[in-house]
C-alpha cells in the first residue's frame, strides 16, 4: 500500500517544526499565490453569496441552489465569475500581506525568537493583520460587489472602470465605503490563524520520548504533517471563521452595495437610507431590525460550502510554495 504523501510544513510561527525563520518575501509570495488559487476556486460561490446577501434577493431567488441555477441560465457560466479581476489583483496580494503581517506580529510578541506562540498571541496577531488588510480589502471588495450585482449576460465594465467611476463620483472616501465594517470582518483572521495553527499542532504526530527526559524540538526535526491533515486544518479554519463572522459580512455587503438612496417614504427606502447615510452602528441596528438573525445569515450555506475547499487550496499552495522555496532558515 502506497504511503501517504507528506509535505514538510513551514508554519507561520518559528520553532514549530524544528525552528528557523521564514524570509518575509517568501511568506508574501506564498500567501499571494495561495490567495490567487483560493479566489479562483471560490469565485462562483462568492457571487451567489453576494447576490443572496443584498437587497432584492428574496424576490429574485428562492434559495442558494435556485440562485446558482438562475445565474447560469440568465447570465451563463461567466456570470458566476463577475468581479473576479478585482480580488485576483487586489486580494491575492492582500492575502500575501496578511500572511506576512501575521508572521511578523507573532514574532513581535515572543520573548525569544524560538519560543512557540500561544493561541492568544495567534488570535491577536491574526486580528492585527486583518486590520491592516482592511485598507486594501475595502476598495477591492466594493468594486467586486458592484460588478457582481450587475444582473446582465452582457459584458460588464472592468474593475478599473468601476473603480474610476466610483472615484469620480465620490472621491477616495467613496472607495472606502464600509471601511469600519470591513475592518471588523477582517479581524476574523485571528480566529482563522489560531484555528489553523491549533489544529496543525493537534494533528501533528508526536515526537518520541527519550528515557532520560523529554525529546526537544531543537535537538532534531520533529515529524512532518501529512498534506491531507494540512489541507483539512486549512478547510476547517475557513469554515469556523466564516460561521463566526458571517452576519457582519452580510451587513458589509449591504453597505457596499448601496450607491444612492431614494427619498421615497417607503419603509424599504428608509432602511436603505439609514444603511447608506449613517454610522456603522446604525447600519447594524437597521439591518438586524429589517432582516433579523435569519436574514443576516442569508447566503451562509454557499459560503460554508465555499470556505472548506477554498481554504484547503489556499493553505496547501501556501505551504507548498514555502516548502519548494526551502522553508525556513536556521
Amino acid at each position: 500500500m502506497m504511503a501517504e504523501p507528506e509535505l514538510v510544513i513551514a508554519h507561520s510561527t518559528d520553532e514549530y517544526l524544528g525552528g528557523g525563520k521564514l524570509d518575509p518575501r517568501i511568506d508574501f509570495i506564498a500567501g499571494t499565490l495561495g490567495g490567487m488559487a483560493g479566489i479562483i476556486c471560490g469565485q462562483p460561490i462568492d457571487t451567489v453569496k453576494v447576490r443572496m446577501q443584498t437587497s432584492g434577493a428574496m424576490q429574485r431567488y428562492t434559495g442558494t441552489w435556485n440562485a446558482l441555477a438562475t445565474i447560469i441560465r440568465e447570465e451563463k457560466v461567466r456570470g458566476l465569475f463577475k468581479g473576479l479581476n478585482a480580488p485576483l489583483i487586489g486580494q491575492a496580494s492582500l492575502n500575501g500581506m496578511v500572511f506576512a503581517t501575521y508572521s511578523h506580529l507573532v514574532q513581535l510578541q515572543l520573548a525569544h525568537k524560538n519560543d512557540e506562540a500561544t493561541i492568544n498571541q495567534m488570535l491577536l496577531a491574526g486580528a492585527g493583520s486583518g486590520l491592516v488588510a482592511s485598507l486594501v480589502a475595502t476598495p477591492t471588495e466594493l468594486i467586486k460587489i458592484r460588478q457582481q450585482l450587475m444582473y446582465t449576460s452582457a459584458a460588464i465594465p472592468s474593475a478599473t472602470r468601476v473603480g474610476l467611476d466610483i472615484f469620480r463620483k465620490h472621491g477616495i472616501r467613496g472607495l472606502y465605503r464600509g471601511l469600519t465594517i470591513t475592518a471588523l470582518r477582517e479581524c476574523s483572521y485571528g480566529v482563522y490563524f489560531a484555528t489553523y495553527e491549533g489544529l496543525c499542532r493537534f494533528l501533528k504526530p508526536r515526537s518520541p520520548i527519550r528515557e532520560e527526559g523529554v525529546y526537544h524540538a531543537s535537538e532534531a526535526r520533529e515529524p512532518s504533517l501529512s498534506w491531507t491533515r494540512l489541507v483539512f486544518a486549512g478547510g476547517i479554519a475557513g469554515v469556523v471563521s466564516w460561521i463566526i463572522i458571517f452576519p457582519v459580512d452580510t451587513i458589509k455587503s449591504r453597505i457596499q452595495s448601496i450607491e444612492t438612496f431614494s427619498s421615497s417614504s417607503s419603509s424599504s427606502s428608509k432602511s436603505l437610507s439609514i444603511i447608506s447615510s449613517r454610522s456603522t452602528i446604525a447600519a447594524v441596528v437597521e439591518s438586524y431590525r429589517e432582516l433579523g438573525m435569519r436574514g443576516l445569515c442569508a447566503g451562509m450555506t454557499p459560503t460554508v460550502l465555499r470556505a472548506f475547499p477554498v481554504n484547503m487550496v489556499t493553505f496547501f499552495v501556501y505551504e507548498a510554495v514555502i516548502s519548494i522555496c526551502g522553508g525556513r532558515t536556521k
Side-chain angles (χ1 to χ4, degrees), residues 53-59 250-251 254 258 266-276 282-296:
Q53 287 178 323
T54 50
S55 180
M58 297 301 179
Q59 292 74 36
T250 298
I251 297 169
R254 285 168 60 81
I258 302 168
S266 69
S267 60
S268 176
S269 294
K270 285 181 179 178
S271 67
L272 292 181
S273 173
I274 292 174
I275 292 171
S276 176
V284 170
V285 172
E286 185 60 29
S287 293
Y288 179 76
R289 184 178 299 156
E290 180 188 349
L291 302 174
M293 184 53 67
R294 183 176 180 180
L296 290 176

Side-chain angles (χ1 to χ4, degrees), residues 199-215:
L199 276 174
C200 284
R201 291 180 181 182
F202 177 76
L203 295 171
K204 185 170 64 68
R206 297 291 181 249
S207 299
I209 303 298
R210 298 164 69 185
E211 291 183 4
E212 61 270 27
V214 177
Y215 184 94

Side-chain angles (χ1 to χ4, degrees), residues 33-34 36-38 41 231 235 308-318:
L33 293 177
M36 292 178 70
C41 175
V231 298
F308 193 78
V310 165
N311 288 282
M312 284 174 62
V313 169
T314 298
F315 272 109
F316 179 76
V317 173
Y318 171 76

Side-chain angles (χ1 to χ4, degrees), residues 45-271:
I45 301 299
D46 185 70
T47 298
V48 174
K49 172 186 76 74
V50 170
R51 295 282 181 92
M52 293 294 292
Q53 287 178 323
T54 50
S55 180
M58 297 301 179
Q59 292 74 36
R60 193 175 183 90
Y61 309 118
T62 59
T64 299
W65 303 115
N66 175 257
L68 180 64
T70 301
I71 293 171
I72 293 175
R73 184 177 65 252
E74 296 180 353
E75 305 168 43
K76 312 303 179 187
V77 174
R78 69 181 182 183
L80 295 171
F81 287 90
K82 285 180 177 177
L84 176 63
N85 289 343
L88 200 58
I89 296 171
Q91 285 189 296
S93 58
L94 166 68
N95 203 67
M97 182 175 71
V98 166
F99 275 78
T101 303
Y102 166 74
S103 184
H104 179 66
L105 291 178
V106 166
Q107 287 300 307
L108 288 179
Q109 299 178 77
L110 302 180
H112 304 94
K113 70 175 185 177
N114 289 330
D115 287 349
E116 186 174 70
T118 65
I119 295 299
N120 286 338
Q121 288 172 330
M122 294 174 188
L123 282 168
L124 188 58
S129 68
L131 289 175
V132 174
S134 65
L135 298 176
V136 178
T138 302
T140 301
E141 285 273 309
L142 178 70
I143 293 169
K144 182 200 69 166
I145 287 172
R146 296 290 171 84
Q147 288 183 300
Q148 288 176 319
L149 294 177
M150 294 177 181
Y151 297 84
T152 176
S153 60
I156 63 173
S158 67
T160 302
R161 183 175 173 183
V162 172
L164 288 174
D165 184 59
I166 295 172
F167 180 75
R168 279 194 296 267
K169 291 179 180 178
H170 308 290
I172 193 69
R173 185 176 180 181
L175 287 171
Y176 277 89
R177 177 177 183 75
L179 173 61
T180 302
I181 197 75
T182 301
L184 180 59
R185 188 196 72 165
E186 298 300 277
C187 283
S188 65
Y189 273 114
V191 176
Y192 184 60
F193 282 115
T195 301
Y196 174 68
E197 297 276 11
L199 276 174
C200 284
R201 291 180 181 182
F202 177 76
L203 295 171
K204 185 170 64 68
R206 297 291 181 249
S207 299
I209 303 298
R210 298 164 69 185
E211 291 183 4
E212 61 270 27
V214 177
Y215 184 94
H216 293 287
S218 59
E219 296 181 72
R221 194 170 185 80
E222 295 182 10
S224 58
L225 193 68
S226 67
W227 70 268
T228 50
R229 295 184 181 188
L230 167 70
V231 298
F232 175 77
I236 293 298
V239 170
V240 170
S241 60
W242 267 113
I243 289 175
I244 291 174
I245 207 67
F246 192 83
V248 174
D249 183 67
T250 298
I251 297 169
K252 183 197 76 69
S253 291
R254 285 168 60 81
I255 290 174
Q256 292 190 315
S257 69
I258 302 168
E259 183 171 6
T260 59
F261 58 89
S262 170
S263 59
S264 167
S265 60
S266 69
S267 60
S268 176
S269 294
K270 285 181 179 178
S271 67

